[in-house]
Amino acid sequence: MTRLAAEPQRRSERIHIHATSEQRTLRSTLQGPRQQSASARLELCEIGKSYGPVIALDGVNLMVEPGELLTILGPSGSGKTTLLKVIAGFEIPETGAVLLRGDDVTLIPPAGRDVGMVFQNYALFPHMSVRGNVAFPLDMRRRPKPEIDARVRDVLSLVDLAGYEDRLPRQLSGGQQQRVALARAIVFEPLLLLLDEPFGALDRKLRDTMQLEVRRLQKRLAITTIFITHDQEEALVLSDRIAIMNRGRLEQVGQPAEIYNHPRNAFVADFVGESNILPGTVIDDRPGLVEIALDNGLRLEAAGELPRGARVGAMIRPERFVPAGNDPASYNRFRGTVTEIVYVGVSQKYRLRLESGPEILLRLPAGMTVRFPGVNEPFAVELAPQDVHLLHLD
């Protein structure tokens, strides 16, 4: 779909509509859950953007439902930041359209889009107090002072910063600065909230705490939210749905459990969490089961239905393995020698060099009563057919 430029008059009318629609008050909003009608549906239609010969976005189509928190996850250079800039209005796409609550906002500048944004570096005004930073969006909209005071007071209470109104950003911790940035982004009740890797500057413990706080706040306000990150665990914790980006394209969009357990291709399987992908060929099929001859010489049973001769990648998550039992006839049995052990608290990672040559990664609970082998000791593990996810290989 190619975007058609709207007439200047129509654009100005649309900006006016956005401005006059903000007659609500934050006080009434914060007294209870935000009404679903106040949230906005975001639609991205065939978004394309290039920088010289580099294609940053290649026909991206995406819909975010009202009140949903969708995370855009991808490696550096995947296009996720460019996509966020297009949504916010900092970049104009070469093709396609951005629709917010059904309105085409593709050419509307950021200030006219009714979008709140939290940046990784918070972007607070260092010379302004907490009150001044949070009030800034309302000042720019020329709201009456009593209304500004009431909204600032309510939103600072919501983010647990009541009593910090007169402090400067340099007098706050990293977590407190982030709360100020979040308060500033929601104080004017935007239709859409954009979070650009907002936890990147925080230590791990504080990041975990802020993730839960942001999720709680987003659910309470029921505000449509786009979250940008390269942290897979963060995406799994926060999201209603996750959109995986790679080289300017969406590889898969789905709920966290779907993305993790049923990746669409090898890129998603490898990027989200840890995985073993073992190539092979389907050699037999029975109702609900297929038998695979792996390229490493082993055989494997997997749940699914595929024709004989199909080339597949058997994707196995490291935590799906269990120490082998006493049935030596199981197809889904791997024998080898431990080459590495890494203790990670609640679990231990094992790297197992198989008798047939390649290595696989295991993750076993650290509290198991079974004696685990040491480095250079033999070990056998197995898994159920339903724990093998099959990926089509070209």
Side-chain angles (χ1 to χ4, degrees):
M1 173 177 156
T2 301
R3 172 177 48 79
L4 298 178
E7 300 83 6
Q9 181 179 359
R10 182 182 176 188
R11 291 291 180 189
S12 63
E13 288 173 352
R14 188 163 294 157
I15 294 174
H16 176 70
I17 290 172
H18 281 299
T20 57
S21 67
E22 291 185 349
Q23 302 303 319
R24 309 173 299 261
T25 64
L26 187 64
R27 179 183 296 276
S28 62
T29 296
L30 301 184
Q31 288 174 348
R34 182 174 180 152
Q35 298 298 315
Q36 191 72 5
S37 60
S39 298
R41 174 181 285 107
L42 173 71
E43 298 176 63
L44 305 178
C45 307
E46 292 292 334
I47 299 296
K49 180 70 177 177
S50 299
Y51 299 100
V54 179
I55 299 176
L57 300 173
D58 190 6
V60 174
N61 290 288
L62 182 64
M63 180 176 292
V64 187
E65 295 298 332
E68 181 180 25
L69 192 156
L70 181 134
T71 294
I72 300 177
L73 177 65
S76 298
S78 62
K80 59 185 186 296
T81 298
T82 301
L83 187 61
L84 189 76
K85 289 180 179 179
V86 168
I87 296 171
F90 297 117
E91 295 280 1
I92 303 298
E94 292 153 4
T95 62
V98 179
L99 306 179
L100 187 58
R101 195 183 268 178
D103 292 331
D104 184 348
V105 299
T106 312
L107 299 180
I108 293 179
R113 293 198 181 193
D114 201 5
V115 172
M117 190 163 183
V118 178
F119 300 92
Q120 182 176 358
N121 63 356
Y122 315 134
L124 300 177
F125 299 112
H127 63 287
M128 287 187 180
S129 65
V130 168
R131 179 189 291 107
N133 270 280
V134 176
F136 183 78
L138 301 175
D139 289 333
M140 293 298 97
R141 288 164 173 79
R142 302 184 184 279
R143 299 300 174 80
K145 188 176 184 305
E147 180 183 338
I148 292 175
D149 291 342
R151 289 196 181 195
V152 170
R153 181 173 62 251
D154 287 342
V155 78
L156 287 179
S157 176
L158 185 66
V159 298
D160 295 326
L161 284 178
Y164 289 79
E165 293 85 352
D166 296 326
R167 296 195 186 186
L168 295 173
R170 66 174 181 272
Q171 298 172 313
L172 303 175
S173 67
Q176 290 168 339
Q177 289 182 44
Q178 188 186 61
R179 289 188 179 95
V180 175
L182 185 60
R184 185 177 61 184
I186 64 174
V187 70
F188 61 99
E189 289 193 273
L191 296 176
L192 180 67
L193 178 62
L194 306 179
L195 304 173
D196 185 13
E197 303 205 40
F199 308 131
L202 304 179
D203 62 67
R204 184 69 194 185
K205 186 174 182 180
L206 182 55
R207 185 160 67 245
D208 291 344
T209 299
M210 290 304 301
Q211 287 171 3
L212 297 178
E213 289 189 11
V214 167
R215 186 56 168 149
R216 171 186 59 82
L217 180 63
Q218 187 271 337
K219 282 186 174 182
R220 179 173 179 179
L221 299 180
I223 183 172
T224 310
T225 302
I226 305 289
F227 188 92
I228 298 291
T229 185
H230 62 274
D231 187 318
Q232 299 95 333
E233 183 177 339
E234 189 168 80
L236 294 171
V237 168
L238 280 172
S239 313
D240 292 313
R241 288 189 303 150
I242 300 172
I244 307 293
M245 287 200 73
N246 181 36
R247 298 182 179 180
R249 290 179 172 270
L250 291 179
E251 296 282 356
Q252 185 173 354
V253 181
Q255 295 179 347
E258 176 187 355
I259 295 288
Y260 187 80
N261 294 316
H262 302 286
R264 180 174 296 169
N265 54 39
F267 173 82
V268 177
D270 184 60
F271 185 73
V272 180
E274 297 172 313
S275 63
N276 301 283
I277 302 178
L278 307 175
T281 302
V282 176
I283 59 173
D284 194 11
D285 62 289
R286 299 185 297 280
L289 284 176
V290 295
E291 184 178 338
I292 304 163
L294 298 177
D295 291 357
N296 61 20
L298 298 177
R299 291 190 177 183
L300 193 68
E301 281 188 342
E305 296 183 2
L306 288 171
R308 298 183 186 186
R311 288 289 293 168
V312 297
M315 191 276 287
I316 306 170
R317 295 295 186 187
E319 68 273 12
R320 299 299 186 187
F321 291 102
V322 296
N326 297 320
D327 182 7
S330 173
Y331 278 123
N332 296 354
R333 177 171 292 218
F334 296 80
R335 296 181 180 88
T337 301
V338 176
T339 61
E340 184 182 26
I341 302 174
V342 179
Y343 178 73
V344 287
V346 297
S347 64
Q348 292 187 136
K349 290 184 183 181
Y350 283 76
R351 196 166 296 277
L352 186 69
R353 182 174 295 279
L354 302 179
E355 294 174 349
S356 55
E359 289 187 337
I360 59 173
L361 184 66
L362 325 172
R363 185 188 285 263
L364 302 175
M368 291 183 67
T369 57
V370 177
R371 178 192 174 273
F372 289 148
V375 175
N376 297 324
E377 292 185 7
F379 195 29
V381 292
E382 62 186 16
L383 74 159
Q386 60 266 29
D387 289 329
V388 181
H389 178 66
L390 298 180
L391 305 169
H392 291 277
L393 297 182
D394 296 333

